[in-house]
Amino acid sequence: MQIITPGMRLIPEAVLANDAALFRTIPETPSHADKSLHRVVIVGGGAGGLELATRLGRKFDKRLSVTLVDRNRTHIWKPLLHEVASGALSVSHDAVEYIAHASRHGYRYRIGEVVGIDRAKRQVFVAPSFDDDGRQVIPPRVLGYDTLVMAVGSVSNDFGTPGAARHAIALDTAEQAARFNKRMIDACLRANAQYEQLSPGQLHCVIVGAGATGVELAAELHKSMREIASHNLDNIDFERLIRITIVEAGPRILPALPEELASATARLLIKLGVQIRCGIKVTEVTEDGIRLGDKLFVPAELVVWAAGIKAPEFLKGLDGLETDRINRLIVDETLRAVGDKNVFAIGDCANCALPGEENALPPRAQTAHQQADHMAKVIAARLAGRAEPAYRYRDYGSLVSLADYGAFGSLIGGLKIEGLVARLVYRSLHKMHLKAVHGLAKTVLASIGEMIVRRARPRIKLH
């Protein structure tokens, strides 16, 4: 077994998720000089983890030692990764740097990939990190905790489809999104410069999965690939040759939205020339395209996998904690992991089925946001010696934004919105996240600065 770091560098075989003996020889790294402080370790700096670390650091900086562990050095709000993939959003301009953010908001950031825990000793095992040349930057470490919050999010679930892991690109991280963006730009440049005719599948993109990510990506790619082609790539007819196909195993696109809004979205995508195939499964992904069912083959130069999620594999069997079939930690109504009073989970990696409900809460940004807010209350209760409060979820609805072409949504109470209103509400969700992470003043200033900067740089990333 080998563990892959963010830059796809291999961690030595000795550092394995189940090799607890190695970490027992490593002294515990103190989290703070004041050993009387309650130690909170948050694993994962996504929407929920980063918001929680920020809240705790601001409110309890004199009573808590808060440590955020993440294998990446920067944070991008995951619902916007499709914009990174299309080039509409730049990682270099829009990412939050954990080191700088932690120093301003009263928590500590530790880079590394968590590979295991020791619940009896209340310790977290962090694998070493390496630079691009394979040299060790940070050695393996052991971090102690009094309260552990797992917030590692989710990754794409290819359901074991042959060839998917090798030939399709998922959009789980900013690195993957940036890699797809470069591949897309290279595809346009190659098609424009080659002497021979385009081969079957060139400039074709297949998106597997018609949830919000897949549908929004289709619209963004429709805009961005034509934007790229407009920059002096005039040797071929991009308008005629660029093709985008969405494949969905279910009966329709956007199952989280009411059927009326999903149908309106489908009509808009079809008007843009996006082909939608529902009710059929991808049985294989190859270097040249995808196979549907037993006979049909769709040639494609680019394949994005956006169908289904699962929690990271290392959660399965994490020192005996109970997980479901997609590796999510089973939590009770306080968000505590079943079987351990000191371990909690929030966001996509938590299976939280509230009393009276059969299904777990949906893996949405609003779920992670609400659970981060609740966990701050839980930790306040633990500090005061009170019973942890029960979590209550409020569904504010669902939204989908199709680049500059339109937006659709269903809000609390079943209110349906579309057009400019839906787009403004959609953008406000990101602003709410920025406000939780940076505060109101910086969010306002950053928004003004963004409007100015966007007028001075290309509409999409071109390199």
Side-chain angles (χ1 to χ4, degrees):
M1 174 181 176
Q2 292 175 313
I3 300 168
I4 307 299
T5 64
M8 302 304 289
R9 296 177 295 279
L10 294 179
I11 293 175
E13 290 275 355
V15 185
L16 301 178
N18 60 356
D19 193 358
L22 170 68
F23 288 95
R24 291 195 180 98
T25 66
I26 300 172
E28 184 175 299
T29 301
S31 60
H32 197 280
D34 186 352
K35 296 184 178 180
S36 67
L37 297 180
H38 186 94
R39 301 167 300 170
V40 177
V41 173
I42 304 166
V43 181
L50 182 59
E51 288 187 18
L52 177 59
T54 306
R55 290 173 188 270
L56 296 179
R58 289 174 184 166
K59 189 174 182 180
F60 301 105
D61 61 326
K62 303 299 183 184
R63 302 173 62 192
L64 292 177
S65 169
V66 182
T67 301
L68 176 67
V69 184
D70 197 286
R71 66 180 190 173
N72 299 301
R73 303 190 184 195
T74 59
H75 162 81
I76 285 283
W77 197 48
K78 193 170 182 179
L80 293 184
L81 285 180
H82 68 281
E83 294 192 18
V84 176
S86 70
L89 192 70
S90 172
V91 175
S92 59
H93 289 98
D94 298 281
V96 177
E97 295 184 358
Y98 289 123
I99 293 178
H101 188 268
S103 67
R104 290 194 296 265
H105 295 277
Y107 67 91
R108 285 170 171 76
Y109 161 66
R110 298 290 181 258
I111 185 172
E113 181 175 8
V114 170
V115 293
I117 65 173
D118 186 328
R119 294 196 290 131
K121 294 184 177 180
R122 288 184 294 182
Q123 292 179 332
V124 173
F125 303 150
V126 185
S129 61
F130 299 84
D131 63 19
D132 293 332
D133 298 319
R135 293 174 299 186
Q136 182 173 284
V137 177
I138 307 293
R141 285 161 300 161
V142 173
L143 305 178
Y145 67 85
D146 297 302
T147 299
L148 175 63
V149 182
M150 303 301 297
V152 293
S154 61
V155 296
S156 295
N157 189 352
D158 62 20
F159 307 102
T161 303
R166 180 175 181 182
H167 299 298
I169 295 181
L171 299 183
D172 298 323
T173 66
E175 289 82 3
Q176 290 173 325
R179 183 158 60 97
F180 175 84
N181 177 253
K182 184 177 186 304
R183 187 177 293 185
M184 176 189 68
I185 295 173
D186 289 346
C188 293
L189 294 174
R190 183 185 305 112
N192 185 71
Q194 71 187 43
Y195 297 110
E196 64 274 14
Q197 289 187 340
L198 269 64
S199 61
Q202 264 195 276
L203 295 180
H204 295 190
C205 177
V206 171
I207 301 168
V208 183
T213 298
V215 167
E216 290 175 342
L217 177 62
E220 286 287 348
L221 291 182
H222 182 276
K223 181 185 74 171
S224 61
M225 291 182 78
R226 284 156 179 79
E227 183 77 16
I228 293 170
S230 71
H231 287 73
N232 299 320
L233 303 186
D234 49 12
N235 287 342
I236 60 175
D237 186 351
F238 278 79
E239 188 65 35
R240 180 174 60 86
L241 295 172
I242 291 175
R243 296 183 185 176
I244 299 171
T245 301
I246 299 176
V247 178
E248 168 60 40
R252 67 175 175 92
I253 68 171
L254 297 173
L257 263 66
E259 188 168 356
E260 178 184 346
L261 295 180
S263 298
T265 302
R267 287 194 297 269
L268 177 53
L269 289 173
I270 292 172
K271 184 178 179 181
L272 294 175
V274 176
Q275 185 178 24
I276 300 174
R277 293 175 176 267
C278 291
I280 189 167
K281 292 184 178 181
V282 176
T283 53
E284 185 183 9
V285 181
T286 72
E287 187 177 0
D288 303 315
I290 64 168
R291 195 171 303 282
L292 301 176
D294 297 328
K295 299 179 180 180
L296 183 61
F297 184 80
V298 179
E301 187 172 9
L302 302 168
V303 178
V304 178
W305 194 277
I309 65 162
K310 63 180 179 179
E313 290 290 334
F314 85 95
L315 291 179
K316 186 165 53 178
L318 187 65
D319 199 19
L321 291 176
E322 185 179 350
T323 55
D324 64 10
R325 61 182 179 81
I326 56 172
N327 308 330
R328 296 179 301 181
L329 292 170
I330 307 294
V331 299
D332 64 17
E333 61 180 356
T334 69
L335 303 182
R336 182 194 290 113
V338 174
D340 196 311
K341 65 179 182 179
N342 298 313
V343 180
F344 297 79
I346 64 174
D348 290 3
C349 71
N351 179 325
C352 180
L354 296 179
E357 300 290 336
E358 291 185 8
N359 298 322
L361 293 176
R364 300 177 183 173
Q366 64 171 304
T367 305
H369 175 80
Q370 292 180 40
Q371 290 181 341
D373 183 60
H374 178 77
M375 270 307 307
K377 298 175 183 177
V378 167
I379 291 172
R382 287 170 68 84
L383 281 175
R386 304 191 307 267
E388 291 94 342
Y391 171 63
R392 293 293 178 263
Y393 172 71
R394 191 174 187 185
D395 188 351
Y396 290 99
S398 302
L399 290 161
V400 59
S401 179
L402 305 178
D404 296 335
Y405 306 120
F408 304 91
S410 175
L411 302 184
I412 188 171
L415 177 65
K416 297 178 178 61
I417 58 174
E418 59 182 276
L420 179 60
V421 174
R423 191 175 302 165
L424 290 175
V425 175
Y426 182 89
R427 287 298 173 188
S428 72
L429 298 177
H430 184 218
K431 299 304 180 185
M432 288 174 58
H433 172 65
L434 293 179
K435 179 177 176 292
V437 170
H438 295 302
L440 178 60
K442 185 171 181 179
T443 299
V444 172
L445 291 174
S447 299
I448 295 172
E450 178 186 3
M451 289 188 291
I452 297 172
V453 170
R454 284 188 180 276
R455 291 181 177 273
R457 68 188 187 205
R459 291 184 60 188
I460 61 168
K461 185 174 177 289
L462 297 170
H463 64 279

